[in-house]
Amino acid sequence: MMTGLFISELERTFKRKKTAAVLAVYAGLLVFIWFFFQRGGISFFDADHDVKIDSLNSAPLLLRDLSFAITFIVIPMFVADSFNGEYTSGALRMVLIRPHHRVKLFFVKWVVQCLLVFLILCITWLVGTCLGKMVMPHVNETTFLGGETVGTVGALLYSLKFYGICFCIFIAVISIGSILSVLMPNSILSYVATIGALIGSVYVSDKLSFFFSVTDSVFHELSRPNSEFLVNLLFPILLISLIINLFVWKKKEWVG
């Protein structure tokens, strides 16, 4: 039954016009930014540190310029459409009429959203890595923020770690957005509430600034030896948000 729910959710997700529209916009941004990458040859680790793009550092730097769109456009729209749009349109009621456990349905929807973002990151990494090798200046080693100089293998591991941490942050964004989408009366307010929560997190605590500037924060975390960012901050936020999600999901009156 879990497999059937998952396949059903995937089908509903990819049949939505908004999904196709958001993916098309992201693809356009990917091409647009890469064009200026190739022409300019300069990017930034953060506002204070610029860097020349080369064959080894292109993948993380490409994501840096696209992470804002993923955080504030792609994820909020996908989540609002999945968790709120189906409820307000009545599609979710049709699903819940069947004997599906609410917790299972929540996790299926949550996993599908994570999978969508994972696929987007994989495509971004693949484009950044391959085109970096083909069109950017070839180098045998590169230096990342913090002065860490690495060779080909080290740059690949750095890139994978960079994308992995960004993915964990995006999962947290999905979890927060899903809570707000369940609580809001329509998908537009869900989207606005998610954006407001991400921006407002900066004013709650400087430690939450990674929600606003994802990749800049990850560059800084990777420049610090023995950083415990994931264990001490991100994973607890993810766990708490999932617990709240389950509580709200169970208490919500979906069918009525």
Side-chain angles (χ1 to χ4, degrees), residues 37 40-54 57 61 64-65 142-147 216 219-220:
F37 249 48
I42 299 291
S43 186
F44 302 87
F45 292 127
D46 59 24
D48 301 318
H49 300 88
D50 59 358
V51 58
K52 290 184 178 180
I53 307 169
D54 57 48
N57 66 14
L61 293 174
R64 181 189 185 271
D65 285 351
T142 191
T143 302
F144 289 101
L145 185 66
D216 290 23
F219 275 127
H220 279 276

Side-chain angles (χ1 to χ4, degrees), residues 85-98:
E86 284 193 347
Y87 168 61
T88 54
S89 68
L92 192 58
R93 292 182 180 88
M94 297 302 295
V95 177
L96 287 169
I97 287 174
R98 300 171 184 175

Side-chain angles (χ1 to χ4, degrees), residues 26 29-30 33-34 37 43-45 53 57-71 75 117-129 158-170 213-216 218-219 222:
Y26 184 80
L29 284 173
L30 187 60
I33 290 175
W34 182 256
F37 249 48
S43 186
F44 302 87
F45 292 127
I53 307 169
N57 66 14
S58 56
L61 293 174
L62 179 62
L63 181 58
R64 181 189 185 271
D65 285 351
L66 288 164
S67 63
F68 189 87
I70 296 174
T71 307
I75 293 177
V117 175
F118 179 76
L119 291 175
I120 287 172
L121 289 180
C122 285
I123 292 171
T124 305
W125 178 84
L126 190 62
V127 170
T129 301
Y158 183 98
S159 177
L160 292 175
K161 188 186 298 185
F162 182 88
Y163 272 72
I165 297 176
C166 287
F167 180 56
C168 290
I169 295 175
F170 291 143
S213 54
V214 175
T215 51
D216 290 23
V218 175
F219 275 127
L222 289 177

Side-chain angles (χ1 to χ4, degrees), residues 71-83:
T71 307
F72 290 95
I73 299 176
V74 175
I75 293 177
M77 290 195 72
F78 280 164
V79 172
D81 211 28
S82 176
F83 285 89

Side-chain angles (χ1 to χ4, degrees), residues 3-248:
T3 303
L5 272 175
F6 182 76
I7 295 174
S8 175
E9 180 65 24
L10 276 177
E11 290 176 347
R12 293 200 307 276
T13 298
F14 283 100
K15 283 181 179 178
R16 296 184 195 120
K17 293 181 179 179
K18 286 183 182 178
T19 301
V22 172
L23 291 176
V25 169
Y26 184 80
L29 284 173
L30 187 60
V31 173
F32 178 78
I33 290 175
W34 182 256
F35 174 78
F36 281 97
F37 249 48
Q38 186 178 354
R39 294 290 297 272
I42 299 291
S43 186
F44 302 87
F45 292 127
D46 59 24
D48 301 318
H49 300 88
D50 59 358
V51 58
K52 290 184 178 180
I53 307 169
D54 57 48
S55 59
L56 298 181
N57 66 14
S58 56
L61 293 174
L62 179 62
L63 181 58
R64 181 189 185 271
D65 285 351
L66 288 164
S67 63
F68 189 87
I70 296 174
T71 307
F72 290 95
I73 299 176
V74 175
I75 293 177
M77 290 195 72
F78 280 164
V79 172
D81 211 28
S82 176
F83 285 89
N84 187 284
E86 284 193 347
Y87 168 61
T88 54
S89 68
L92 192 58
R93 292 182 180 88
M94 297 302 295
V95 177
L96 287 169
I97 287 174
R98 300 171 184 175
H100 298 310
H101 197 286
R102 287 188 176 195
V103 172
K104 286 184 179 179
L105 183 57
F106 164 75
F107 274 114
V108 164
K109 295 178 77 65
W110 183 79
V111 168
V112 167
Q113 295 304 306
C114 293
L115 179 61
L116 274 173
V117 175
F118 179 76
L119 291 175
I120 287 172
L121 289 180
C122 285
I123 292 171
T124 305
W125 178 84
L126 190 62
V127 170
T129 301
C130 292
L131 292 184
K133 297 291 185 182
M134 290 189 292
V135 302
M136 301 311 295
H138 177 76
V139 295
N140 294 319
E141 59 181 27
T142 191
T143 302
F144 289 101
L145 185 66
E148 180 184 5
T149 300
V150 295
T152 303
V153 175
L156 176 61
L157 293 175
Y158 183 98
S159 177
L160 292 175
K161 188 186 298 185
F162 182 88
Y163 272 72
I165 297 176
C166 287
F167 180 56
C168 290
I169 295 175
F170 291 143
I171 291 176
V173 174
I174 290 170
S175 300
I176 292 170
S178 62
I179 296 172
L180 296 171
S181 293
V182 171
L183 296 175
M184 293 294 108
N186 59 63
S187 55
I188 295 177
L189 288 177
S190 299
Y191 178 83
V192 173
T194 301
I195 299 299
L198 295 175
I199 296 175
S201 65
V202 178
Y203 299 97
V204 174
S205 172
D206 290 339
K207 293 182 178 180
L208 299 178
S209 61
F210 62 86
F211 280 126
F212 185 77
S213 54
V214 175
T215 51
D216 290 23
S217 299
V218 175
F219 275 127
H220 279 276
E221 289 302 323
L222 289 177
S223 70
R224 297 168 185 155
N226 304 318
S227 172
E228 296 183 347
F229 165 72
L230 288 175
V231 176
N232 292 340
L233 187 58
L234 187 55
F235 287 164
I237 290 174
L238 181 56
L239 179 60
I240 292 170
S241 63
L242 283 175
I243 291 173
I244 296 173
N245 259 306
L246 292 175
F247 176 80
V248 174

